[in-house]
Amino acid sequence: MTLKSGLMSCAALCAVVMTTPVFAACEKPFLAGDFGYSVCKDWPAYPGLAITALSQFESGPSASDYGPEGKYDLDLAVFSAGESKPLAMYHKASAFESDAIEFEDLQIDTARYQLTPDLRAFGVRATFNGSSRVNPVNEKLLSLYVREGDTLRPVLDKLITYEYGGEWDGTCAGELYQHTRTLEIGKTSSHGYADLIVKTVTTSEVGKGEGDACESSSTTAKPVLTTLRYDGSTYVLPQGFKGY
């Protein structure tokens, strides 16, 4: 759910995070104002640990009926049960931008992202949705983070896991496409981190004619496998795989 938000500095956020004991019970982080997203999720791989994610409106030129158009920051933290002070944190200013394609949702993903025998990542998923009916746009992005001491470090940045778009007349004629990507841990590795195998399935739909004469057809291409390799600091994404 979208909540309207005001400005909040990183220092103020850190103060709230470090002095509010409700985080131990996996409570959502405090959201200043009404625009932004606040989520918390237990980390099943590490019993007793929870992950929080907070993204709130940072700045922008205007506000629409759906929320402010502009930039949103991102704050992540890992907490231990019974403790109010975070074990590890991450902050990024202007992490997301919401405009004609609206920043619509933020979720934490605790799937089995085992990058090394001793290191498991967690994911943050962001959803964006356009408002045009004849030029639809929908994107879902996945980023992965690992814990290094008292910090959280991104190792995969905004992989497009779902993309829907195209152009049509709103009733029949036009062309639409859909890319769906799933992520698996590979058996090979690069710079000590497991390679990631991305399977992309593309569906295309074509419509012709008007009214009762409308004819549409859809085709699904053979899945394409792409290997993402770690270069020592991040997984390198091919052109067209990274969202904004």
Side-chain angles (χ1 to χ4, degrees):
M1 179 177 67
T2 302
L3 303 173
K4 300 179 180 179
S5 162
L7 300 177
M8 185 179 189
S9 68
C10 178
L13 172 65
C14 293
V16 171
V17 168
M18 297 178 67
T19 59
T20 308
V22 294
F23 283 91
C26 202
E27 293 284 341
K28 294 181 180 180
F30 172 72
L31 180 67
D34 294 333
F35 282 112
Y37 299 92
S38 174
V39 292
C40 181
K41 187 174 183 180
D42 292 324
W43 199 349
Y46 302 99
L49 296 187
I51 305 164
T52 63
L54 174 65
S55 183
Q56 49 191 4
F57 181 60
E58 189 177 74
S59 63
S62 64
S64 68
D65 292 338
Y66 301 99
E69 296 179 354
K71 300 183 184 300
Y72 288 71
D73 61 7
L74 177 64
D75 284 275
L76 305 175
V78 172
F79 287 85
S80 178
E83 299 291 334
S84 60
K85 184 177 179 179
L87 298 174
M89 299 181 69
Y90 172 81
H91 172 80
K92 184 175 182 179
S94 304
F96 305 112
E97 186 165 0
S98 185
D99 46 33
I101 303 175
E102 180 195 356
F103 178 29
E104 193 173 75
D105 191 29
L106 186 74
Q107 296 293 329
I108 297 169
D109 179 359
T110 55
R112 193 176 182 275
Y113 299 116
Q114 195 76 39
L115 303 185
T116 77
D118 303 316
L119 184 65
R120 181 175 293 199
F122 68 87
V124 173
R125 293 182 180 268
T127 300
F128 294 81
N129 198 25
S131 58
S132 172
R133 184 167 179 269
V134 295
N135 296 103
V137 177
N138 182 266
E139 276 192 358
K140 298 180 186 296
L141 311 179
L142 170 65
S143 298
L144 296 181
Y145 298 82
V146 296
R147 180 185 171 192
E148 295 180 342
D150 60 359
T151 65
L152 299 172
R153 182 172 68 87
V155 294
L156 177 68
D157 187 30
K158 298 178 181 177
L159 168 69
I160 301 174
T161 58
Y162 178 82
E163 184 177 17
Y164 175 76
E167 183 176 359
W168 69 314
D169 62 5
T171 57
C172 177
E175 297 182 5
L176 300 171
Y177 65 87
Q178 175 180 287
H179 302 308
T180 302
R181 294 189 176 100
T182 55
L183 194 66
E184 295 183 2
I185 305 299
K187 296 181 179 180
T188 58
S189 64
S190 302
H191 294 275
Y193 278 41
D195 295 335
L196 304 179
I197 310 301
V198 178
K199 181 171 73 173
T200 303
V201 176
T202 298
T203 300
S204 302
E205 183 175 353
V206 177
K208 297 180 180 179
E210 298 179 357
D212 294 338
C214 176
E215 296 182 357
S216 64
S217 62
S218 64
T219 58
T220 299
K222 181 179 178 180
V224 176
L225 300 182
T226 305
T227 300
L228 306 182
R229 293 182 171 84
Y230 186 70
D231 68 358
S233 61
T234 189
Y235 283 93
V236 179
L237 292 176
Q239 184 175 1
F241 275 54
K242 184 172 181 177
Y244 295 103

